Amino acid sequence: MIPTQIRDQVSDKCTEGLVLALACDDDGAIMELKWCNKAFTKITGYAQAEVIGQRGTILIGHEMEQGKHLHIIEKLMNWEQFTVKVQNNGKDGGLYWQQMTWVPLSNADNGSRWWLCSIVRLMDEPRAVPSQDPTKVKAPSIELIQELNQQIQSLEKENTQLHALARSATRESNEDALTGLSNRRHFEVEFRSWVAAMKDGGPSFAVIYIDVDRFKTVNDTLGHDAGDSLLNSVAETLRDLTDETDLVARIGGDEFVILKPLGDSALNISGLADEIVQRTQIPFGFEDKTVTVSASVGVAITDAKMDNPEQVVADADTALYHAKTHGKGRWSFFTEEMHANLIATKRLSSDLLLACERGEFVPFFQPVIDVATGKISSAEVLVRWAHPVRGLLAPVEFLDAAADIGVLRRIDEIVFSKLCDALADLDQSGFSIPSVAVNTSAERLTDSLLIHDIQRSGIDPGRLTIEILESVFIERMTDAFRWTLDQLDELGVTIAIDDFGTGHASIQGLLQIKPSILKIDRQFVQPAVEDKTSEALVGSIISIGTSLGMRIVAEGIETEEHALVLNAMGCDYLQGYHFGKPMRAEELCVLLKENKGQFWKPQKPESLAYTRT
Ligand code: C2E
Ligand code: MG
Ligand code: MG
């Protein structure tokens, strides 16, 4: 803030005439003079009060030559700084010469645009005009008058053309070249003016944020022309569904926004959101190919009572994110709860980045039991986050967020490096575990560092199992993934398919991976004790696995009954809370010393007697 006293002195003592004028957003024209200094009142003869509220004519006089006038209009429209020498009329009507410098200013707070005009009064005319004896001045000839009229007419024509040109330039700079809708720049200007109008008693309005789902896939599979055509068809639909009074803009690659005044009921907004979702959910054909597309929509409403109505666009974006993460091809209305969730997600993401730097992830171990001996055959390594404030966190609390921000591979690296130390400690404790099974993300599996880390770790690869989620190997059969699998095979690392039964892996796929172990997900294991269908499902997983020469692990064994049933069904290994929850390496050490690795009393198959009702 400039101190008032200094500002007043600038106003009083500056020798140049200074004027501040509010400019029109569209074409830079002067809307209203808002301020002038003393020097300006001296130069023109107008009092300050007579200047404020006037339009620009007070600065450029009413008798200005056409050419100069056009030059000024052009510069104003192009919103560029310029200096010009022109004649102006003072308040008394007398003509004088002035040099004017026009400087464009803008107010980032509300988007308004301003001109600062500084004026120096010139004592002489800029060009010396030969002095004439007034008595010798002749009346102009008819030819001269005709010539002047012609000149005026041609200047008028030029003036009209210039204005048309300026209008089309403004339109182009506001328009998205592909769809013809408003572009981001125009949207921002309009949005500010909708908010300003609302604060002045105008209508509240809704912001409807639209994003085409899987647009990248269309671009990648059908090509950019198809992508453009899809965007045009979405634009057409939005045009079709909106009124003249709404604003429809394309503000990014596949992002559109609608501003719509609120009607008497919220139904006009929800109805519109609904229709957008319905009408964009159609098969989209390009040349001879067809893909099914959809769009997600986020809606937020603003009103003048809100502390910060400008926030509404971000709110609509939050609602859009919600719609995307809850299945796409749907719309969501912004709620405060979404906002709170978003803040929590953001906090979680930044905490995760910090946790990666600080290495806050710890390996926990859960015993896996050999049914033949009842002894520990291996331990599954399960990550825990030792959060400095929230304590120990299980993977369900952070793995999805870690995948979203791309740090899953880093977490796996940290867990693996800590595993090496823990395993060395376990080995020294007197009862070493035969092997460890490590969960490995898709990102880590396509990173050549994994092989390097295994080789450097000092862990005998024969003691190492890499668990790969069924969903991962179905989706990621890339060259990098195959390369990793070959390298692991060469090193002698065991491959296990985790959570088998949750995806749709084909036998062909299984044969390509050649896993030695299949782990049956606990969602099938636990009900297999009571439910015939689950029992049949588990039975067929076991028979597929064993016929392909794989060993079978049943996860989620919580009771002796689970253990007995799964043993009787033919599983080779059992894992679950019944034998031990995931624990720190030190706890596992203590347990192993106590039970000498014996976690279960194995049952001979013929002695297995369980009845089911
Ligand atoms: P998963 O690999 O299928 O691991 C088994 C999950 O089942 C573990 O959950 C384990 O604690 C839990 N579990 C074991 N026995 C029982 C039981 O008897 N009852 C019940 N209710 N649950 C049991 P956790 O530790 O929360 O891990 C969840 C998932 O997170 C894992 O499923 C795995 O997919 C993933 N994960 C864990 N650690 C890592 C890691 O270091 N890297 C990667 N990429 N993923 C990991
Ligand atoms: Mg696992
Ligand atoms: Mg599992």
Side-chain angles (χ1 to χ4, degrees), residues 4 40 45 81 151 169 174 178 184 190 206 209 229 246 265 288-289 301 311 321 347-348 356 442 468 526 548 599 601:
T4 321
F40 181 77
Q81 177 165 337
Q151 265 183 22
N174 286 338
L178 177 68
R184 176 179 275 280
E190 279 291 307
Y209 214 124
S229 161
D246 304 339
S265 90
D288 54 343
K289 295 199 187 95
I301 282 177
Q311 174 68 25
Y321 176 77
R347 174 158 310 146
L348 181 65
C356 286
I468 304 173
Q526 293 171 347
L548 294 175
F599 280 79
K601 193 164 177 290

PDB file of all heavy atoms in Angstrom, residues 4 40 45 81 151 169 174 178 184 190 206 209 229 246 265 288-289 301 311 321 347-348 356 442 468 526 548 599 601:
ATOM      1  N   THR A   4      -1.010   7.340   2.031  1.00  0.00           N
ATOM      2  CA  THR A   4      -1.914   8.345   1.446  1.00  0.00           C
ATOM      3  C   THR A   4      -1.173   9.662   1.180  1.00  0.00           C
ATOM      4  O   THR A   4      -1.367  10.310   0.143  1.00  0.00           O
ATOM      5  CB  THR A   4      -3.065   8.617   2.445  1.00  0.00           C
ATOM      6  OG1 THR A   4      -3.427   7.390   3.022  1.00  0.00           O
ATOM      7  CG2 THR A   4      -4.246   9.241   1.754  1.00  0.00           C
ATOM      8  N   PHE A  40      -3.269  17.564 -14.502  1.00  0.00           N
ATOM      9  CA  PHE A  40      -4.234  17.331 -15.569  1.00  0.00           C
ATOM     10  C   PHE A  40      -5.325  18.405 -15.548  1.00  0.00           C
ATOM     11  O   PHE A  40      -5.730  18.928 -16.589  1.00  0.00           O
ATOM     12  CB  PHE A  40      -4.852  15.930 -15.426  1.00  0.00           C
ATOM     13  CG  PHE A  40      -5.848  15.622 -16.510  1.00  0.00           C
ATOM     14  CD1 PHE A  40      -5.416  15.284 -17.782  1.00  0.00           C
ATOM     15  CD2 PHE A  40      -7.220  15.683 -16.270  1.00  0.00           C
ATOM     16  CE1 PHE A  40      -6.335  15.013 -18.789  1.00  0.00           C
ATOM     17  CE2 PHE A  40      -8.131  15.420 -17.276  1.00  0.00           C
ATOM     18  CZ  PHE A  40      -7.690  15.078 -18.544  1.00  0.00           C
ATOM     19  N   GLY A  45      -8.170  22.448 -17.780  1.00  0.00           N
ATOM     20  CA  GLY A  45      -9.122  23.422 -17.256  1.00  0.00           C
ATOM     21  C   GLY A  45     -10.321  22.779 -16.574  1.00  0.00           C
ATOM     22  O   GLY A  45     -11.177  23.460 -16.005  1.00  0.00           O
ATOM     23  N   GLN A  81       1.092  -0.439 -25.089  1.00  0.00           N
ATOM     24  CA  GLN A  81       1.544   0.903 -24.679  1.00  0.00           C
ATOM     25  C   GLN A  81       1.902   1.715 -25.924  1.00  0.00           C
ATOM     26  O   GLN A  81       2.504   1.183 -26.850  1.00  0.00           O
ATOM     27  CB  GLN A  81       2.774   0.740 -23.782  1.00  0.00           C
ATOM     28  CG  GLN A  81       3.356   2.073 -23.373  1.00  0.00           C
ATOM     29  CD  GLN A  81       4.328   1.902 -22.218  1.00  0.00           C
ATOM     30  OE1 GLN A  81       4.257   0.931 -21.466  1.00  0.00           O
ATOM     31  NE2 GLN A  81       5.218   2.857 -22.080  1.00  0.00           N
ATOM     32  N   GLN A 151     -11.844  11.861 -48.879  1.00  0.00           N
ATOM     33  CA  GLN A 151     -10.895  11.366 -47.860  1.00  0.00           C
ATOM     34  C   GLN A 151     -11.637  10.925 -46.603  1.00  0.00           C
ATOM     35  O   GLN A 151     -11.370   9.878 -46.022  1.00  0.00           O
ATOM     36  CB  GLN A 151      -9.916  12.482 -47.487  1.00  0.00           C
ATOM     37  CG  GLN A 151      -8.630  12.404 -48.271  1.00  0.00           C
ATOM     38  CD  GLN A 151      -7.657  13.480 -47.839  1.00  0.00           C
ATOM     39  OE1 GLN A 151      -7.755  13.998 -46.725  1.00  0.00           O
ATOM     40  NE2 GLN A 151      -6.743  13.837 -48.714  1.00  0.00           N
ATOM     41  N   ALA A 169     -11.122 -10.366 -34.084  1.00  0.00           N
ATOM     42  CA  ALA A 169      -9.909 -10.736 -33.334  1.00  0.00           C
ATOM     43  C   ALA A 169     -10.275 -11.071 -31.894  1.00  0.00           C
ATOM     44  O   ALA A 169      -9.790 -12.038 -31.313  1.00  0.00           O
ATOM     45  CB  ALA A 169      -8.904  -9.596 -33.368  1.00  0.00           C
ATOM     46  N   ASN A 174     -11.121 -15.390 -27.864  1.00  0.00           N
ATOM     47  CA  ASN A 174     -11.984 -15.961 -26.826  1.00  0.00           C
ATOM     48  C   ASN A 174     -12.420 -17.377 -27.142  1.00  0.00           C
ATOM     49  O   ASN A 174     -13.075 -18.016 -26.353  1.00  0.00           O
ATOM     50  CB  ASN A 174     -13.262 -15.119 -26.679  1.00  0.00           C
ATOM     51  CG  ASN A 174     -12.968 -13.817 -25.981  1.00  0.00           C
ATOM     52  OD1 ASN A 174     -11.979 -13.725 -25.273  1.00  0.00           O
ATOM     53  ND2 ASN A 174     -13.813 -12.829 -26.189  1.00  0.00           N
ATOM     54  N   LEU A 178     -10.583 -25.625 -31.748  1.00  0.00           N
ATOM     55  CA  LEU A 178     -11.115 -26.917 -32.192  1.00  0.00           C
ATOM     56  C   LEU A 178     -12.644 -26.962 -32.162  1.00  0.00           C
ATOM     57  O   LEU A 178     -13.285 -27.342 -33.134  1.00  0.00           O
ATOM     58  CB  LEU A 178     -10.543 -28.051 -31.316  1.00  0.00           C
ATOM     59  CG  LEU A 178     -11.072 -29.444 -31.645  1.00  0.00           C
ATOM     60  CD1 LEU A 178     -10.572 -29.900 -33.010  1.00  0.00           C
ATOM     61  CD2 LEU A 178     -10.668 -30.456 -30.574  1.00  0.00           C
ATOM     62  N   ARG A 184     -10.226 -21.167 -22.305  1.00  0.00           N
ATOM     63  CA  ARG A 184      -9.968 -20.983 -20.871  1.00  0.00           C
ATOM     64  C   ARG A 184      -9.893 -19.495 -20.502  1.00  0.00           C
ATOM     65  O   ARG A 184     -10.459 -19.060 -19.524  1.00  0.00           O
ATOM     66  CB  ARG A 184      -8.662 -21.683 -20.456  1.00  0.00           C
ATOM     67  CG  ARG A 184      -8.289 -21.447 -19.016  1.00  0.00           C
ATOM     68  CD  ARG A 184      -7.024 -22.155 -18.653  1.00  0.00           C
ATOM     69  NE  ARG A 184      -7.251 -23.526 -18.264  1.00  0.00           N
ATOM     70  CZ  ARG A 184      -7.673 -23.898 -17.048  1.00  0.00           C
ATOM     71  NH1 ARG A 184      -7.890 -22.997 -16.120  1.00  0.00           N
ATOM     72  NH2 ARG A 184      -7.858 -25.147 -16.759  1.00  0.00           N
ATOM     73  N   GLU A 190     -15.118 -14.445 -17.964  1.00  0.00           N
ATOM     74  CA  GLU A 190     -16.564 -14.553 -17.742  1.00  0.00           C
ATOM     75  C   GLU A 190     -16.879 -14.968 -16.306  1.00  0.00           C
ATOM     76  O   GLU A 190     -17.777 -14.427 -15.670  1.00  0.00           O
ATOM     77  CB  GLU A 190     -17.152 -15.600 -18.693  1.00  0.00           C
ATOM     78  CG  GLU A 190     -17.395 -15.087 -20.076  1.00  0.00           C
ATOM     79  CD  GLU A 190     -18.528 -14.083 -20.109  1.00  0.00           C
ATOM     80  OE1 GLU A 190     -19.618 -14.392 -19.614  1.00  0.00           O
ATOM     81  OE2 GLU A 190     -18.309 -12.964 -20.604  1.00  0.00           O
ATOM     82  N   ALA A 206     -24.394 -22.381 -11.077  1.00  0.00           N
ATOM     83  CA  ALA A 206     -23.727 -23.672 -10.888  1.00  0.00           C
ATOM     84  C   ALA A 206     -22.536 -23.759 -11.824  1.00  0.00           C
ATOM     85  O   ALA A 206     -22.555 -23.196 -12.915  1.00  0.00           O
ATOM     86  CB  ALA A 206     -24.692 -24.804 -11.212  1.00  0.00           C
ATOM     87  N   TYR A 209     -18.478 -29.239 -14.196  1.00  0.00           N
ATOM     88  CA  TYR A 209     -17.147 -29.585 -14.715  1.00  0.00           C
ATOM     89  C   TYR A 209     -17.262 -30.954 -15.380  1.00  0.00           C
ATOM     90  O   TYR A 209     -17.762 -31.893 -14.771  1.00  0.00           O
ATOM     91  CB  TYR A 209     -16.183 -29.674 -13.526  1.00  0.00           C
ATOM     92  CG  TYR A 209     -14.778 -29.240 -13.780  1.00  0.00           C
ATOM     93  CD1 TYR A 209     -14.188 -28.247 -13.001  1.00  0.00           C
ATOM     94  CD2 TYR A 209     -14.012 -29.835 -14.766  1.00  0.00           C
ATOM     95  CE1 TYR A 209     -12.888 -27.840 -13.206  1.00  0.00           C
ATOM     96  CE2 TYR A 209     -12.709 -29.436 -14.981  1.00  0.00           C
ATOM     97  CZ  TYR A 209     -12.153 -28.440 -14.205  1.00  0.00           C
ATOM     98  OH  TYR A 209     -10.856 -28.046 -14.405  1.00  0.00           O
ATOM     99  N   SER A 229     -12.289 -35.539 -33.063  1.00  0.00           N
ATOM    100  CA  SER A 229     -13.680 -35.729 -33.451  1.00  0.00           C
ATOM    101  C   SER A 229     -14.546 -36.011 -32.218  1.00  0.00           C
ATOM    102  O   SER A 229     -15.674 -35.511 -32.109  1.00  0.00           O
ATOM    103  CB  SER A 229     -13.726 -36.861 -34.473  1.00  0.00           C
ATOM    104  OG  SER A 229     -14.980 -37.384 -34.569  1.00  0.00           O
ATOM    105  N   ASP A 246     -26.265 -19.701 -20.732  1.00  0.00           N
ATOM    106  CA  ASP A 246     -25.192 -20.467 -20.085  1.00  0.00           C
ATOM    107  C   ASP A 246     -23.871 -20.179 -20.798  1.00  0.00           C
ATOM    108  O   ASP A 246     -23.862 -19.770 -21.958  1.00  0.00           O
ATOM    109  CB  ASP A 246     -25.467 -21.974 -20.183  1.00  0.00           C
ATOM    110  CG  ASP A 246     -26.820 -22.347 -19.595  1.00  0.00           C
ATOM    111  OD1 ASP A 246     -27.331 -21.545 -18.786  1.00  0.00           O
ATOM    112  OD2 ASP A 246     -27.357 -23.413 -19.952  1.00  0.00           O
ATOM    113  N   SER A 265     -35.581 -24.294  -9.195  1.00  0.00           N
ATOM    114  CA  SER A 265     -35.296 -25.508  -8.429  1.00  0.00           C
ATOM    115  C   SER A 265     -33.960 -26.061  -8.880  1.00  0.00           C
ATOM    116  O   SER A 265     -33.476 -25.735  -9.959  1.00  0.00           O
ATOM    117  CB  SER A 265     -36.399 -26.540  -8.654  1.00  0.00           C
ATOM    118  OG  SER A 265     -36.067 -27.348  -9.747  1.00  0.00           O
ATOM    119  N   ASP A 288     -13.449 -47.184 -39.199  1.00  0.00           N
ATOM    120  CA  ASP A 288     -14.150 -48.475 -39.048  1.00  0.00           C
ATOM    121  C   ASP A 288     -14.098 -49.001 -37.617  1.00  0.00           C
ATOM    122  O   ASP A 288     -14.463 -50.139 -37.360  1.00  0.00           O
ATOM    123  CB  ASP A 288     -13.558 -49.501 -40.026  1.00  0.00           C
ATOM    124  CG  ASP A 288     -12.059 -49.608 -39.848  1.00  0.00           C
ATOM    125  OD1 ASP A 288     -11.488 -48.689 -39.232  1.00  0.00           O
ATOM    126  OD2 ASP A 288     -11.467 -50.593 -40.314  1.00  0.00           O
ATOM    127  N   LYS A 289     -13.622 -48.169 -36.686  1.00  0.00           N
ATOM    128  CA  LYS A 289     -13.524 -48.679 -35.308  1.00  0.00           C
ATOM    129  C   LYS A 289     -14.538 -47.992 -34.394  1.00  0.00           C
ATOM    130  O   LYS A 289     -14.952 -46.869 -34.646  1.00  0.00           O
ATOM    131  CB  LYS A 289     -12.123 -48.430 -34.761  1.00  0.00           C
ATOM    132  CG  LYS A 289     -11.046 -49.206 -35.508  1.00  0.00           C
ATOM    133  CD  LYS A 289      -9.790 -49.283 -34.667  1.00  0.00           C
ATOM    134  CE  LYS A 289      -8.640 -49.910 -35.442  1.00  0.00           C
ATOM    135  NZ  LYS A 289      -7.777 -48.917 -36.072  1.00  0.00           N
ATOM    136  N   ILE A 301     -22.240 -25.427  -6.551  1.00  0.00           N
ATOM    137  CA  ILE A 301     -23.081 -24.239  -6.677  1.00  0.00           C
ATOM    138  C   ILE A 301     -22.501 -23.129  -5.837  1.00  0.00           C
ATOM    139  O   ILE A 301     -21.966 -23.373  -4.744  1.00  0.00           O
ATOM    140  CB  ILE A 301     -24.517 -24.595  -6.237  1.00  0.00           C
ATOM    141  CG1 ILE A 301     -25.191 -25.357  -7.365  1.00  0.00           C
ATOM    142  CG2 ILE A 301     -25.324 -23.357  -5.882  1.00  0.00           C
ATOM    143  CD1 ILE A 301     -26.560 -25.839  -7.060  1.00  0.00           C
ATOM    144  N   GLN A 311     -14.097 -20.060  -5.068  1.00  0.00           N
ATOM    145  CA  GLN A 311     -13.680 -21.435  -4.784  1.00  0.00           C
ATOM    146  C   GLN A 311     -14.508 -22.475  -5.560  1.00  0.00           C
ATOM    147  O   GLN A 311     -14.131 -23.631  -5.689  1.00  0.00           O
ATOM    148  CB  GLN A 311     -13.827 -21.623  -3.263  1.00  0.00           C
ATOM    149  CG  GLN A 311     -13.602 -23.001  -2.709  1.00  0.00           C
ATOM    150  CD  GLN A 311     -12.149 -23.435  -2.824  1.00  0.00           C
ATOM    151  OE1 GLN A 311     -11.268 -22.582  -2.878  1.00  0.00           O
ATOM    152  NE2 GLN A 311     -11.912 -24.725  -2.906  1.00  0.00           N
ATOM    153  N   TYR A 321     -13.581 -35.287  -9.416  1.00  0.00           N
ATOM    154  CA  TYR A 321     -12.612 -36.298  -8.966  1.00  0.00           C
ATOM    155  C   TYR A 321     -13.352 -37.430  -8.244  1.00  0.00           C
ATOM    156  O   TYR A 321     -13.083 -38.606  -8.448  1.00  0.00           O
ATOM    157  CB  TYR A 321     -11.589 -35.624  -8.044  1.00  0.00           C
ATOM    158  CG  TYR A 321     -10.585 -36.568  -7.435  1.00  0.00           C
ATOM    159  CD1 TYR A 321      -9.511 -37.048  -8.186  1.00  0.00           C
ATOM    160  CD2 TYR A 321     -10.705 -36.982  -6.117  1.00  0.00           C
ATOM    161  CE1 TYR A 321      -8.600 -37.924  -7.630  1.00  0.00           C
ATOM    162  CE2 TYR A 321      -9.797 -37.858  -5.549  1.00  0.00           C
ATOM    163  CZ  TYR A 321      -8.744 -38.320  -6.313  1.00  0.00           C
ATOM    164  OH  TYR A 321      -7.843 -39.189  -5.760  1.00  0.00           O
ATOM    165  N   ARG A 347      -2.870 -34.607   2.271  1.00  0.00           N
ATOM    166  CA  ARG A 347      -1.957 -34.713   3.414  1.00  0.00           C
ATOM    167  C   ARG A 347      -1.270 -36.081   3.393  1.00  0.00           C
ATOM    168  O   ARG A 347      -0.071 -36.186   3.592  1.00  0.00           O
ATOM    169  CB  ARG A 347      -2.728 -34.524   4.726  1.00  0.00           C
ATOM    170  CG  ARG A 347      -1.855 -34.768   5.924  1.00  0.00           C
ATOM    171  CD  ARG A 347      -2.364 -34.109   7.165  1.00  0.00           C
ATOM    172  NE  ARG A 347      -2.686 -32.712   6.955  1.00  0.00           N
ATOM    173  CZ  ARG A 347      -3.687 -32.089   7.566  1.00  0.00           C
ATOM    174  NH1 ARG A 347      -4.461 -32.746   8.398  1.00  0.00           N
ATOM    175  NH2 ARG A 347      -3.922 -30.821   7.348  1.00  0.00           N
ATOM    176  N   LEU A 348      -2.071 -37.119   3.102  1.00  0.00           N
ATOM    177  CA  LEU A 348      -1.513 -38.473   3.056  1.00  0.00           C
ATOM    178  C   LEU A 348      -0.423 -38.538   1.986  1.00  0.00           C
ATOM    179  O   LEU A 348       0.654 -39.094   2.211  1.00  0.00           O
ATOM    180  CB  LEU A 348      -2.625 -39.481   2.746  1.00  0.00           C
ATOM    181  CG  LEU A 348      -2.210 -40.943   2.686  1.00  0.00           C
ATOM    182  CD1 LEU A 348      -1.748 -41.410   4.058  1.00  0.00           C
ATOM    183  CD2 LEU A 348      -3.364 -41.821   2.220  1.00  0.00           C
ATOM    184  N   CYS A 356       8.924 -41.689   2.343  1.00  0.00           N
ATOM    185  CA  CYS A 356       9.866 -42.352   1.432  1.00  0.00           C
ATOM    186  C   CYS A 356      11.271 -41.799   1.654  1.00  0.00           C
ATOM    187  O   CYS A 356      12.251 -42.529   1.664  1.00  0.00           O
ATOM    188  CB  CYS A 356       9.453 -42.127  -0.021  1.00  0.00           C
ATOM    189  SG  CYS A 356       8.031 -43.102  -0.478  1.00  0.00           S
ATOM    190  N   ALA A 442       3.691 -53.897  -9.451  1.00  0.00           N
ATOM    191  CA  ALA A 442       3.906 -53.940 -10.900  1.00  0.00           C
ATOM    192  C   ALA A 442       5.061 -53.026 -11.292  1.00  0.00           C
ATOM    193  O   ALA A 442       5.883 -53.361 -12.148  1.00  0.00           O
ATOM    194  CB  ALA A 442       2.633 -53.502 -11.602  1.00  0.00           C
ATOM    195  N   ILE A 468       3.461 -62.093  -6.905  1.00  0.00           N
ATOM    196  CA  ILE A 468       2.916 -61.191  -7.935  1.00  0.00           C
ATOM    197  C   ILE A 468       1.396 -61.323  -7.893  1.00  0.00           C
ATOM    198  O   ILE A 468       0.866 -62.440  -7.956  1.00  0.00           O
ATOM    199  CB  ILE A 468       3.420 -61.585  -9.338  1.00  0.00           C
ATOM    200  CG1 ILE A 468       4.956 -61.597  -9.345  1.00  0.00           C
ATOM    201  CG2 ILE A 468       2.879 -60.649 -10.393  1.00  0.00           C
ATOM    202  CD1 ILE A 468       5.549 -62.132 -10.643  1.00  0.00           C
ATOM    203  N   GLN A 526     -11.909 -68.717   3.573  1.00  0.00           N
ATOM    204  CA  GLN A 526     -12.712 -68.736   4.797  1.00  0.00           C
ATOM    205  C   GLN A 526     -14.123 -69.294   4.595  1.00  0.00           C
ATOM    206  O   GLN A 526     -14.535 -70.174   5.352  1.00  0.00           O
ATOM    207  CB  GLN A 526     -12.711 -67.351   5.442  1.00  0.00           C
ATOM    208  CG  GLN A 526     -11.302 -67.034   5.949  1.00  0.00           C
ATOM    209  CD  GLN A 526     -11.120 -65.602   6.415  1.00  0.00           C
ATOM    210  OE1 GLN A 526     -11.953 -64.754   6.160  1.00  0.00           O
ATOM    211  NE2 GLN A 526     -10.018 -65.349   7.099  1.00  0.00           N
ATOM    212  N   LEU A 548      -0.865 -78.400 -12.814  1.00  0.00           N
ATOM    213  CA  LEU A 548       0.206 -77.679 -13.517  1.00  0.00           C
ATOM    214  C   LEU A 548       1.520 -77.746 -12.717  1.00  0.00           C
ATOM    215  O   LEU A 548       2.475 -77.027 -13.001  1.00  0.00           O
ATOM    216  CB  LEU A 548      -0.191 -76.211 -13.744  1.00  0.00           C
ATOM    217  CG  LEU A 548      -1.364 -75.960 -14.695  1.00  0.00           C
ATOM    218  CD1 LEU A 548      -1.731 -74.481 -14.732  1.00  0.00           C
ATOM    219  CD2 LEU A 548      -1.035 -76.440 -16.108  1.00  0.00           C
ATOM    220  N   PHE A 599       4.542 -74.687  14.487  1.00  0.00           N
ATOM    221  CA  PHE A 599       3.366 -73.833  14.668  1.00  0.00           C
ATOM    222  C   PHE A 599       2.068 -74.637  14.723  1.00  0.00           C
ATOM    223  O   PHE A 599       1.031 -74.125  15.098  1.00  0.00           O
ATOM    224  CB  PHE A 599       3.266 -72.822  13.517  1.00  0.00           C
ATOM    225  CG  PHE A 599       4.188 -71.638  13.676  1.00  0.00           C
ATOM    226  CD1 PHE A 599       5.549 -71.744  13.371  1.00  0.00           C
ATOM    227  CD2 PHE A 599       3.713 -70.425  14.147  1.00  0.00           C
ATOM    228  CE1 PHE A 599       6.385 -70.656  13.511  1.00  0.00           C
ATOM    229  CE2 PHE A 599       4.555 -69.329  14.280  1.00  0.00           C
ATOM    230  CZ  PHE A 599       5.902 -69.446  13.972  1.00  0.00           C
ATOM    231  N   LYS A 601       0.172 -78.849  14.770  1.00  0.00           N
ATOM    232  CA  LYS A 601       0.318 -80.303  14.852  1.00  0.00           C
ATOM    233  C   LYS A 601      -0.293 -80.889  13.574  1.00  0.00           C
ATOM    234  O   LYS A 601      -1.505 -80.811  13.369  1.00  0.00           O
ATOM    235  CB  LYS A 601      -0.426 -80.810  16.089  1.00  0.00           C
ATOM    236  CG  LYS A 601      -0.083 -82.223  16.449  1.00  0.00           C
ATOM    237  CD  LYS A 601      -0.558 -82.483  17.884  1.00  0.00           C
ATOM    238  CE  LYS A 601      -0.324 -83.909  18.291  1.00  0.00           C
ATOM    239  NZ  LYS A 601      -1.159 -84.868  17.627  1.00  0.00           N
TER     240      LYS A 601
END
